[in-house]
Structures are given as structure tokens and as C-alpha cells.
Amino acid sequence: MSPFLAMRLSAFASCFIVAAALVGAGAAGAAPRPLPGDWRYVAEAQERLAIADYAAAEALLAQVPAQSEAARDAGTLRAQLDAALATRLELETRAFFDTQPLARLSQSAGASFWPAASLQLRLRAIGLWYPRAPRETAELGGSATPAHAVGGLVGLLFRPARADLDVIATGLGRIWADGSAQLSGSAEIEGRWLSPLRLRASARRDELLDTHAAIREHVSVTAAGGALAVDDWNGWSGELRGEGRWYSDSNRGLTAYGWAVAPLLRGALSLKAGWGAAWADTSRSRWSLAAQAYAPYFTPLGARRHGPIVVAALSLGKLRVDASGDVAVQGSELDPTALAWGVTSRVDGAYVDLRAGASIDLGGARVGVTYHHNHQLYYRFHDAAFRLELPL
């Protein structure tokens, strides 16, 4: 998910809304009467705030006059809304290592703020370093991998009141050590009109940063796709997604996957389990017979897999710990070496994906760490990050 969507409200303070709704309800089991006067605005504002519809919550709370009996509870919700809309400083340090070998270090610093309750903007400065970048050699054709880049990111989230709609866009520019300037960006729309279903469509242009050859040649990919998802409906979650990819060297690729998990444990310790399947293909292989590696980028060839998924979370007050695992019990893909010689054969593929994270809320500030390990047939990587958010 995107960072914008990861925002969560702090736990709501107890209000008297439910009690007010039940006063005079009549016999047991009778439907409660509509809330009187300004209480209905407070009750609905609390509902909209719980789903991060800040624009609707702000409009509803503005209808409660200061002399109203509901003004006190409206003030409590207003304070929570102001905290959610506060400007925040965001710092992130990330380290990525894989078996090529490739090492990438990145640092970003920026701020997010809300010019309006329906619009969030983000500004970030970003730096990349490749400490193992090879120098100029004859094998590289007289060129060297640029060892670092600096850039900036601008992002926005538009969430109109009562629309059950998110529009997200980002733009990113980088200047590399070899003097080249590269632009990338993304756009995504998510609709929640058919609850609990979520409809998603996205398009993006990315630089490929995971091989020295791709960095040296400044390979990029344009992708577009759509998804149908369920997000925590009575503990159930799942997604079906398809995506097309178009590379800057005129290559093309397709990916499709689906997964679903069901709740096994609820409460402070939650546990979900399910199954996932994926398929990916590329029109032309980028396997190098000489190097026995993919260059300048990985091209899955009729790759398919399926296997179990486990998701766990532990909440201890202001501390939250998350972990997930995805392991293929069966997977295979076309052998790129045999294919290069005109022979079609399949090889068993290994796939393990492990993720873990922890975050703690320190009275407005939030500290978090994440770790991601992925093991496939031809490579493995480790990706770790430290994040700090501070209210300004």
C-alpha cells in the first residue's frame, strides 16, 4: 500500500454519543430513535473521522454551535481531527543488499501537510548511494555505474468529502552522478463505493534500480493495471490484480496474482492464514549466457507459483508488531539458458517472501522499522528501513 493510505487515527476518546442514541429506545430490541439536535452531527463526524474522511468530518463539526450541548464532544473530535491534519516531518533511512552483489543505501527527508481537509501534499528530498558500484572497465564498454543520485519527490492525496474515493499522484526527479536526469511518477485511484469491495486502477513510470546494468543504462518501465480487493471485511482480506509492463528497450511483460486470508485469531494478537497464486511472463528474455544472470533486468519467463500465506499482528498499547510470510509450495518457470539455445523446458522455482515491522507511537511522534527478505531461484535480497515521523 501507499504511504498515504497507511495513516491511522489515534484511538478515539470515549464519547457519550452511543448513550445518547439509546436514550428512550423503548423495549429491548427496539431500534433507537434518531439523535436529537446537534448530536447527529457529532455522531456522523465520528463515523467519518474513523474512516479518515476528514473533509466530511470538518464540515459536520462546523455545524455544531459553541453553545450547543454537543459542543464538548464536538471539541474532542475537533482536536483529533486537528492532530490528524497536522504537518509532519518524515525521515527515512533504507539499506538494500542482494546476491548480485548489489548494495543500495537511501535517505529521504521531507514533510507532509494538509492545505485543505480533502488534500494532502508531500515534499521529499531523496538521495541514493551504491557503495559497490563497479568502476570503468573494458567489460562495461568504457562506462561505469553511477554511484549516487539526488532528487526530489512531490506527492498528493485527494480525498473528497463523502466520495469514498482516493486519488493519489506522485512525481519524482533524479540527477545521477553521470549527469543524466530521470523522471518518474505514478497515479492511482481507489473507489470504495461497493463496500466491502475496493476498486483500484494505477499507472506508473519507474526507473529500474536493482541491477548495475539497469542503473548504468537508465532502463525504465511503464506499468498499468487494475485490482479488485477486500480490505479487512470481518477479518477477511484478499485481492485480484493484473498488470501490463512496457520497458524502455521495447520489451513487454504481464503479471497477475491473487490471494486471500481468513482470520484465525482476533484481539491483541491477530493471526490470518490463506493462499496465494501468481503468474508472470515477459515477451523477450534478458538472460545473459556469458554472465549466467539477467541483465539489465529480471525477465520472468512463464513463471507460476502458489502457496500458503500467513499474516500476524501484535498490539501492545502504543507498540505494534507485524509479520507476514508467503512461501511457494509449487513453482516453476522456463529455463532461460535452455531457451537461449532454442529449447523449451521448465525448472522448479523457489520463492519465499518474509516481511516484519514494528512501530511505536511516542505522544505524536512515531518510530518504525521494517524488514523484507525475498528468495527466488536466481537471487535473494534483504531490505531494511528506519522511519521517524514528528509533528510540527
Side-chain angles (χ1 to χ4, degrees), residues 177-197:
D178 62 1
S180 67
Q182 301 294 323
L183 298 176
S184 57
S186 65
E188 180 179 349
I189 184 170
E190 177 182 274
R192 299 178 293 278
W193 313 292
L194 304 174
S195 181
L197 297 179

Side-chain angles (χ1 to χ4, degrees), residues 90-287:
E90 302 171 346
L91 305 173
E92 180 183 90
T93 299
R94 181 179 291 274
F96 177 95
F97 303 94
D98 74 11
T99 52
Q100 295 183 63
L102 179 143
R104 182 177 67 240
L105 305 177
S106 64
Q107 178 70 57
S108 68
S112 63
F113 55 96
W114 295 78
S118 60
L119 178 66
Q120 184 194 39
L121 297 179
R122 300 177 71 206
L123 303 174
R124 279 193 173 190
I126 298 173
L128 288 177
W129 296 268
Y130 289 85
R132 298 179 182 174
R135 299 182 179 181
E136 243 176 81
T137 64
E139 289 78 10
L140 297 179
S143 64
T145 301
H148 61 270
V150 294
L153 178 145
V154 178
L156 67 84
L157 164 65
F158 178 54
R159 183 177 289 155
R162 302 179 185 278
D164 293 324
L165 173 71
D166 285 348
V167 178
I168 303 169
T170 61
L172 172 64
R174 290 191 184 96
I175 299 177
W176 288 87
D178 62 1
S180 67
Q182 301 294 323
L183 298 176
S184 57
S186 65
E188 180 179 349
I189 184 170
E190 177 182 274
R192 299 178 293 278
W193 313 292
L194 304 174
S195 181
L197 297 179
R198 299 188 176 208
L199 306 176
R200 296 169 180 156
S202 63
R204 70 181 192 278
R205 181 185 186 275
D206 290 332
E207 288 184 85
L208 297 182
L209 305 175
D210 296 337
T211 70
H212 292 299
I215 301 161
R216 190 166 56 252
E217 299 174 23
H218 299 296
V219 179
S220 64
V221 61
T222 300
L228 178 65
V230 174
D231 186 12
D232 200 20
W233 175 58
N234 295 325
W236 289 73
S237 297
E239 183 177 20
L240 292 173
R241 181 174 180 84
E243 183 178 82
R245 298 180 180 183
W246 298 266
Y247 296 88
S248 54
D249 62 358
S250 300
N251 205 358
R252 301 184 307 277
L254 289 172
T255 63
Y257 64 82
W259 60 271
V261 293
L264 300 180
L265 292 176
R266 302 174 187 264
L269 174 62
S270 65
L271 180 65
K272 300 180 181 181
W275 208 263
W279 171 86
D281 193 29
T282 315
S283 60
R284 293 195 299 275
S285 172
R286 290 294 179 258
W287 178 258

Side-chain angles (χ1 to χ4, degrees), residues 323-340:
S324 66
D326 177 3
V327 179
V329 295
Q330 185 177 41
S332 67
E333 58 187 278
L334 294 178
D335 184 343
T337 299
L339 194 64

